[in-house]
Amino acid sequence: EVQLVESGGALVKPGGSLRLSCAASGFTFSDYSMNWVRQPPGEGLEWVSSISSTYNYIYYADSVKGRFTISRDNAKDSLYLQLNSLRGDDTAVYYCARRGLRPATFDIWGQGTMVTVSS
Amino acid sequence: EIVLTQSPGTLSLSPGERATLSCRASQSVSSNFLAWFQQKPGRAPRLLIYGASSRATGIPDRFSGSGSGTDFTLTISRLEPEDCAVYYCQQYANSFTFGPGTRVAIK
């Protein structure tokens, strides 16, 4: 079964840091670009970051540039998101999502992990 | 950045009725790289339509997509109770952006 499972969400104070992980299974992880998408409580979806299959193309939304870092380990079939300098408006469910080959959009999603930034 | 707007904000219909959801882009979406996602409460989004009109694997044929350029439509031909959800359009031609969503409620 094709699956993505996120972990690492927590309650953290403003200015704090957190590392999210996403474990992939059921497909050849190294063939696919991977992404993080977030959703604040009761709100819509926001793309956060992308990393290409071979690590060489990385992109961020302006809202997180300079604070978040995406990475992956193809040997471990895992995707990561390092969140630094966290703010209240970073509070959200964070989803990892696979960008398909065809279609070239987010065809597989994890169940999400909750990040709450509050003092 | 391509900005997407969706209308209506909420749609309330009876089972068996036809639902028509609109998505408008601030500039033309090249190659019709426009997708629709369904999200039920507490669940991750699910891909319904890609390339403006192609159904994703396992999606019932009562869901259809149409449109091109800046104007796109998702149609649910005969609403079923399990179609109660929020529907998001997304463009993937120039980075990725999502519309604000349309909530479909079943009377």
Side-chain angles (χ1 to χ4, degrees):
Chain A
E1 180 192 3
V2 175
Q3 198 171 9
L4 297 171
V5 178
E6 301 94 335
S7 60
L11 171 62
V12 62
K13 289 181 167 50
S17 297
L18 205 56
R19 190 194 198 204
L20 307 182
S21 299
C22 172
S25 59
F27 64 99
T28 305
F29 181 73
S30 58
D31 283 348
Y32 293 86
S33 170
M34 296 296 296
N35 299 265
W36 289 98
V37 177
R38 69 183 180 182
Q39 185 171 38
E43 297 185 26
L45 301 165
E46 180 190 19
W47 168 78
V48 171
S49 183
S50 294
I51 184 168
S52 62
S53 58
T54 53
Y55 309 79
N56 43 344
Y57 296 102
I58 289 176
Y59 304 98
Y60 298 98
D62 287 344
S63 58
V64 306
K65 205 172 291 184
R67 300 187 300 122
F68 291 8
T69 303
I70 192 171
S71 62
R72 63 189 295 162
D73 185 339
N74 287 346
K76 295 183 177 179
D77 292 344
S78 293
L79 175 71
Y80 306 101
L81 187 67
Q82 178 69 38
L83 291 67
N84 295 333
S85 303
L86 282 162
R87 312 184 304 220
D89 60 359
D90 295 319
T91 294
V93 175
Y94 285 73
Y95 295 100
C96 68
R98 186 183 83 172
R99 185 176 190 183
L101 302 177
R102 177 179 163 78
T105 187
F106 305 153
D107 62 347
I108 303 294
W109 296 65
Q111 86 288 350
T113 189
M114 183 71 203
V115 173
T116 303
V117 183
S118 176
S119 54
Chain B
E1 175 184 320
I2 298 178
V3 177
L4 301 177
T5 55
Q6 292 186 242
S7 61
T10 301
L11 201 50
S12 183
L13 296 167
S14 299
E17 287 194 300
R18 181 185 192 90
T20 302
L21 287 66
S22 174
C23 176
R24 178 163 288 179
S26 61
Q27 57 188 273
S28 183
V29 178
S30 61
S31 305
N32 285 343
F33 280 173
L34 192 286
W36 291 91
F37 293 85
Q38 177 193 63
Q39 187 178 33
K40 296 182 179 181
R43 303 287 298 274
R46 176 174 73 145
L47 178 65
L48 296 177
I49 300 287
Y50 64 93
S53 60
S54 297
R55 268 187 303 276
T57 303
I59 301 304
D61 61 6
R62 66 179 183 275
F63 291 93
S64 64
S66 63
S68 64
T70 60
D71 289 295
F72 300 89
T73 300
L74 174 70
T75 302
I76 310 172
S77 59
R78 299 170 307 280
L79 270 174
E80 298 196 4
E82 61 263 31
D83 299 333
C84 179
V86 179
Y87 293 81
Y88 295 96
C89 59
Q90 178 220 34
Q91 68 79 24
Y92 52 101
N94 182 352
S95 188
F96 308 98
T97 51
F98 292 90
T102 290
R103 182 176 304 276
V104 174
I106 309 296
K107 290 179 184 174

